[in-house]
Amino acid sequence: MNTKGFALEASLFVLLLVAVLVAVSVTGVVGATRTAGMDYRGTRVTYAAEAGADAIVAQLDVALQDGTTPWLVALIGDSG
């Protein structure tokens, strides 16, 4: 059995194995970071849309209570 150079081959194999594990780990972390970023942006967009809808409903409520709805009449047309 020829064992000359076995240590070099074994260390290269271990180095290759560690490099593959690091590459897989980095890929996983990058994917998780992108997913978290998209989730964060999606949540912000949802809250912004909800806030906009709440603001419009509040404006409509105030306008209907005051009886001043010229913008609403212009939006839906004069029904009278």
Side-chain angles (χ1 to χ4, degrees):
M1 181 171 181
N2 187 5
T3 58
K4 271 192 160 178
F6 176 73
L8 178 62
E9 291 174 358
S11 63
L12 286 176
F13 179 73
V14 169
L15 184 63
L16 178 66
L17 185 62
V18 168
V20 168
L21 289 174
V22 167
V24 169
S25 297
V26 167
T27 302
V29 168
V30 167
T33 302
R34 286 183 182 167
T35 302
M38 284 187 268
D39 186 39
Y40 174 72
R41 285 189 294 275
T43 302
R44 286 186 61 186
V45 167
T46 301
Y47 285 145
E50 187 176 349
D54 287 344
I56 292 294
V57 169
Q59 288 178 5
L60 181 59
D61 187 41
V62 169
L64 289 175
Q65 287 177 4
D66 290 346
T68 57
T69 57
W71 61 269
L72 182 60
V73 171
L75 182 66
I76 60 174
D78 190 8
S79 61

